[in-house]
Amino acid sequence: MPTLVLLPGMDGTGDLFAPFLEALGDQFKTQVVRYPTDQELGYDELLALTRRFLPIDEPYIVLGESFSGHIAISLAAEAPPLLRGLILCCTFVRNPRPALEPLKSLLPFVPLHWSPSAALGWALLGSFGSIALRAAIAGAVRRVAPKVLRARLRSVASVDVSAMLATVKVPCLYLRASRDRMVPASASVHIQDVLPLVSVVQINAPHCLLQAEPAQAARVVSSFVSEVQGAL
């Protein structure tokens, strides 16, 4: 079976994949990519870092969660010979909230680590998730330097990999959360417009889909991996 390479959301720690990895069990190998928590790296630098985690002698599938969709798409557009599939989870190919673009200049002044846990939970989980999961998400965000989070938000504000996505040839799955308060449904609609063959699966979940509904997400991802394996 192909190895599943997981690219994390905005926190970049990779720790929040734990519920999803537990739900996957030992069906196939996984590789979690972790971004530095103290370095202001842009998408190009994170892409170069991610390449170092990719298997060099076995097939693999890349899953890009939220912030990392850009990196996953960029990798797929390079058409590496061992890449067998692409999974996008609650992510986007261009700024999902263009109306906020004029506020980008205010990012240096946003006290990200002062945001109440309740507000963070509302945005990422809504009415889903346990107290433990909410604490884990808040803890992961706190481990990342504020300057790093601001740099990643700036990257999101100016991102657009639509042209790259259009060149992707491997099978592609998009996991859409029906209760996503961060990335609107229009983001996945645009992805379908650019790459009509993408398979979209909607799950009743918040933005943190893999964390809030890990069992359902694992079933969908496992099915996709099996289909890709069967097509080899």
Side-chain angles (χ1 to χ4, degrees), residues 23-99:
L24 282 176
D26 57 358
Q27 299 179 65
F28 37 80
K29 291 198 294 185
T30 57
Q31 170 70 58
V32 176
V33 176
R34 301 176 189 273
Y35 306 145
T37 58
D38 58 351
Q39 299 177 45
E40 297 179 66
L41 304 180
Y43 270 131
D44 289 344
E45 294 163 305
L46 290 173
L47 175 61
L49 181 152
T50 300
R51 289 193 191 101
R52 300 202 295 268
F53 285 84
L54 301 177
I56 60 174
D57 57 1
E58 59 189 17
Y60 59 90
I61 291 172
V62 170
L63 185 155
E65 179 187 36
S66 187
F67 169 80
S68 286
H70 174 292
I71 299 169
I73 291 168
S74 298
L75 286 172
E78 294 174 355
L82 293 174
L83 180 68
R84 297 294 183 262
L86 172 66
I87 302 174
L88 303 172
C89 180
C90 300
T91 189
F92 43 86
V93 298
R94 61 186 181 186
N95 185 348
R97 300 289 183 181

Side-chain angles (χ1 to χ4, degrees), residues 42-43 70 92-98 100-101 104 107 151-162:
Y43 270 131
H70 174 292
F92 43 86
V93 298
R94 61 186 181 186
N95 185 348
R97 300 289 183 181
L100 299 180
E101 173 70 17
K104 184 170 65 173
L107 284 175
R152 291 174 186 170
L153 284 171
R154 286 196 299 271
S155 296
V156 168
S158 57
V159 68
D160 192 340
V161 288
S162 301

